[in-house]
Amino acid sequence: MPPVELFLGLVAFGALAGFLAGLLGVGGGLVIVPVMVWFLGSAHLGGEHVQHLAVGTSLAVMVFTSFSSVMAHHRKGAVDWGIVRGMAPGVVLGTFAGSQIAGLLPSDGLKWFFVVYAYAIALQMFFNAKPAGQRAMPGRLGQLSAAGLIGTISSFVGIGGGSMSVPFMSWCNVPIHRAIATSAALGWPIAVSGALGYLAGGWQANGLPWGSAGFVYLPAMATLMALTVLLAPLGAAAAHKLPVAKLKKAFALLMVVTATEMLLSLLR
């Protein structure tokens, strides 16, 4: 088992991930994945599967945290369940297939993908870039295609897909608050199918630490799940009192720092 001080660090970062998820409306996966990479690397766990464990554990945590978010949005009547029904099969198939493909990729390949994605999201958040509504939601085939791509990318990065599905729906003239709520509802099937995919994909992998179920590290999952569930509501409440626009820029800079650190580790 990892030393106690590493778990204390995981507790601190898990609390931060949950608070930021509620405060800024960003998926905790953008924080959890680099934290898990740090945790596993510091504990010398995972070997060549560090990134797989980080992404799989992040998706498993979101199974629980996204469900509570969906229920909160549903109680407010903000979720467009018609869009969810149209896109959910695509995100499930894309996420599960992507997780199986990811299991075949080297850990460094997944790290490169995370680095590029993190830089892109950091730029989008820093400049608050939002697509203008230009069209209506596409038909069933168009929704399935977009959802499949969102699910596949989410499975490589370990996120709920909100940073892609919200801009997509906004581009299709879905009001922003409805897009955010509907994206949260889509995040749950992404998390479930992704977690199951990483669990299955890593079931017979060699060199995984004790406490792993496939590419999901259960001790870290339980710790992060409890903290994100507890802290996300506090972050959401603080969003009404704190300068969220400035904090989003600060978070974007934090994303640049973490992505750069991962990039440097790849170049060493």
Side-chain angles (χ1 to χ4, degrees), residues 66 70 84 88-89 91-92 95-96 183-195:
S66 66
V70 174
V84 173
V91 296
V92 168
T95 307
F96 190 83
S183 172
L186 287 169
W188 192 73
I190 286 175
V192 172
S193 53

Side-chain angles (χ1 to χ4, degrees), residues 141-223:
L141 182 60
Q143 290 186 41
L144 287 173
S145 300
L149 179 61
I150 290 169
T152 302
I153 294 173
S154 297
S155 71
F156 285 178
V157 185
I159 59 173
S163 51
M164 292 173 284
S165 54
V166 170
F168 170 71
M169 283 184 267
S170 295
W171 180 57
C172 296
N173 279 304
V174 177
I176 186 63
H177 294 296
R178 202 157 187 79
I180 290 170
T182 306
S183 172
L186 287 169
W188 192 73
I190 286 175
V192 172
S193 53
L196 289 175
Y198 273 90
L199 187 150
W203 197 254
Q204 296 186 2
N206 296 319
L208 297 179
W210 178 90
S212 297
F215 289 133
V216 178
Y217 187 50
L218 298 176
M221 184 205 78
T223 302

Side-chain angles (χ1 to χ4, degrees), residues 16-215:
L16 176 65
F19 187 77
L20 287 174
L23 178 69
L24 304 178
V26 298
L30 288 172
V31 179
I32 290 174
V33 170
V35 167
M36 280 298 302
V37 170
W38 162 80
F39 175 81
L40 293 166
S42 299
H44 305 292
L45 297 174
E48 62 183 10
H49 299 301
V50 165
Q51 192 73 12
H52 298 90
L53 283 164
V55 174
T57 302
S58 174
L59 289 165
V61 170
M62 285 190 291
V63 170
F64 302 92
T65 56
S66 66
F67 184 79
S68 61
S69 174
V70 174
M71 290 299 99
H73 284 297
H74 175 65
R75 284 192 292 269
K76 294 178 181 178
V79 179
D80 188 324
W81 289 105
I83 294 177
V84 173
R85 286 190 293 272
M87 295 184 67
V91 296
V92 168
L93 290 173
T95 307
F96 190 83
S99 65
Q100 298 306 293
I101 294 169
L104 302 175
L105 297 175
S107 187
D108 282 358
L110 285 181
K111 283 185 178 181
W112 276 108
F113 199 95
F114 184 90
V115 166
V116 172
Y117 190 85
Y119 278 134
I121 294 304
L123 286 171
Q124 184 272 328
M125 289 188 69
F126 189 84
F127 293 105
N128 197 29
K130 297 177 182 177
Q134 296 181 356
R135 53 163 300 157
M137 283 293 292
R140 179 58 62 90
L141 182 60
Q143 290 186 41
L144 287 173
S145 300
L149 179 61
I150 290 169
T152 302
I153 294 173
S154 297
S155 71
F156 285 178
V157 185
I159 59 173
S163 51
M164 292 173 284
S165 54
V166 170
F168 170 71
M169 283 184 267
S170 295
W171 180 57
C172 296
N173 279 304
V174 177
I176 186 63
H177 294 296
R178 202 157 187 79
I180 290 170
T182 306
S183 172
L186 287 169
W188 192 73
I190 286 175
V192 172
S193 53
L196 289 175
Y198 273 90
L199 187 150
W203 197 254
Q204 296 186 2
N206 296 319
L208 297 179
W210 178 90
S212 297
F215 289 133

Side-chain angles (χ1 to χ4, degrees), residues 230-256:
L230 286 172
L231 272 295
L234 296 180
H240 300 285
K241 304 173 184 177
L242 297 175
V244 174
K246 292 181 180 178
L247 288 170
K248 278 194 173 184
K249 289 190 175 184
F251 180 76
L253 293 175
L254 175 63
M255 285 300 304
V256 169

